[in-house]
Amino acid sequence: MSVEQFGYKQELHRTLTLKDLLVYGMIFMVPIAPFGVFGYVWEGSNGMVALAYLIGMVAMFFTAMSYWAMSRAFPVSGSVYAYAQRGIHETVGFFAGWLILLDYILVPSLLYIVSAAALAPVLPDVPSWAWIVGFIALNSVVNLVGIQFTAKANNYILFAEIIILSIFVVLGLIALYSGVGAGHLTLEPLYNADKFSLPLVVGAVSIAVLSFLGFDGISTLSEETKGGVDTVGKASLGALLLVGVLFILQTWIAADLAVGMKFSSLDTAFYETANLAGGEWLKQATIWSTAISWGIANALVAQAAVSRILFAMARDKQLPKLLAKVHPRYKTPYVSTLLVGLISLCSGLWFNGNIDNLSRLVNFGALMGFLVLHVAVINHYIIRQKSRNLVLHLLFPVIGFCIIAFVIYEMDWEAKILGLSWLAIGVVYYFVLRVILKRETTLKLEEN
């Protein structure tokens, strides 16, 4: 687990166990994540919400296996940036990091917007911008204090989420078998032959996959983890599978409850379904749990993740060196943390009320980064090391690459144009950095 072999100093505290990482990943993905985007996935999939989440989980399974493979080879902070950089080439690593930043930098903003939208019907006199500012201020302070404090807070929030989800599942099933909605669990949320269209469902997956983004964030904590090189990989796969099953279960029940309903808004679709299952109190409980889980818990770990990527890229002089500064007392990348808070404030206010498009833009950055990750596994293990494990190091990455490439292909064109525009900005920045300023990195690469 030593980072010295890669030319770095151990500056961050190694305090996180496998359990901490599992909780971190589950909090990042949010076990009740479908509460906030159910309406959009329901509309995009013609009601086959459970199928959209199943496809998303399968796609992310292969990606989680690639994360496991690369985290064993390179147990350093930086996630996709570090893996592509060391598994393929330094230049590829920069652009992989640049793409994944589109996900990590914008995802806290999206979380704040979803939380504000959830609270709008409850407290209509409080402007959404006030919620956004309040969440950002709270999370920035907690992340500055240290990752161990964040891990402790995550345990309590995860427990509360599981309780709310369990209540919805039980009351939802009781309501279903009492004649509400479809009257019982059906196969239609998983497959409806009359409405099925692969491009349509995959388009919905491009929104649903947002809920799975987070297991990859575990790898950003590699330099704060103890327990061996497999700890990050085990936590990534374990968190993905656990949360994926919960996603499918809750959306299956909700989709059958929603049969015959006309939602007043796609933003509030799940809460209206919860009202049907358990009454006004359950509706309010799901609203507040979404607000707290997305606006505080999920955004908290998302901010921690992106600050580590900025830290890793700045340490290699790929970004301004100031972002690599570590707080002398709390041992956290405090400049990067504050910058993420500022960016979240600006983008959150700019995209406020535009959940659909922002979620696709976030997903574009993540999915493009995952494509590079799969290539890095093949290049590092098969081409460089001549690995004979063709299942883990060739078959799985190829399948993962193909599924994700198809999801990107079926994404909204506006999201793809905005995402490629971000990539173009990265090309210009890299050209100025390397050609005009002639700045060299301090990176120590190992030829394997």
Side-chain angles (χ1 to χ4, degrees), residues 22 28 62 108 114 117 132 142 162 192 218 278 316 323 338 376 391 411 436:
L22 274 170
F28 206 149
F62 294 106
V114 169
I132 293 173
V142 173
I162 296 299
N192 186 333
I218 293 173
D316 294 333
L323 297 176
L338 292 174
V391 174
M411 285 182 76
I436 297 178

Side-chain angles (χ1 to χ4, degrees), residues 35-228:
F35 286 14
V37 295
F38 173 81
Y40 294 101
V41 183
W42 178 82
E43 182 183 59
S45 64
N46 273 338
M48 289 173 279
V49 191
L51 177 60
Y53 277 98
L54 177 61
I55 294 174
M57 185 175 71
V58 171
M60 292 302 103
F61 166 79
F62 294 106
T63 301
M65 295 304 294
S66 287
Y67 266 103
W68 191 337
M70 296 307 286
S71 66
R72 292 191 84 255
F74 308 111
V76 296
S77 293
S79 188
V80 168
Y81 158 69
Y83 302 151
Q85 171 198 69
R86 296 178 180 278
I88 305 177
H89 188 272
E90 177 185 340
T91 301
V92 179
F94 170 83
F95 287 109
W98 187 262
L99 284 167
I100 207 72
L101 280 178
L102 183 61
D103 163 23
Y104 283 133
I105 284 181
L106 291 182
V107 78
S109 308
L110 177 62
L111 301 174
Y112 299 135
I113 293 171
V114 169
S115 299
L119 292 172
V122 181
L123 297 169
D125 294 332
V126 179
S128 57
W129 65 262
W131 290 114
I132 293 173
V133 172
F135 286 137
I136 290 173
L138 174 62
N139 286 346
S140 296
V141 170
V142 173
N143 270 316
L144 285 173
V145 171
I147 195 67
Q148 195 169 18
F149 184 85
T150 303
K152 290 179 180 179
N154 288 344
N155 288 316
Y156 296 108
I157 297 173
L158 179 61
F159 178 75
E161 288 180 19
I162 296 299
I163 292 297
I164 293 295
L165 179 56
S166 299
I167 293 172
F168 171 77
V169 168
V170 171
L171 294 183
L173 288 172
I174 292 174
L176 268 178
Y177 285 90
S178 298
V180 176
H184 57 87
L185 281 177
T186 71
L187 290 177
E188 292 192 356
L190 190 62
Y191 180 73
N192 186 333
D194 295 331
K195 298 180 179 179
F196 180 80
S197 165
L198 184 59
L200 185 73
V201 173
V202 172
V205 172
S206 70
I207 301 177
V209 77
L210 170 70
S211 304
F212 290 102
L213 302 184
F215 76 90
D216 55 302
I218 293 173
S219 63
T220 65
L221 303 178
S222 290
E223 294 180 34
E224 294 157 272
T225 300
K226 56 185 180 180

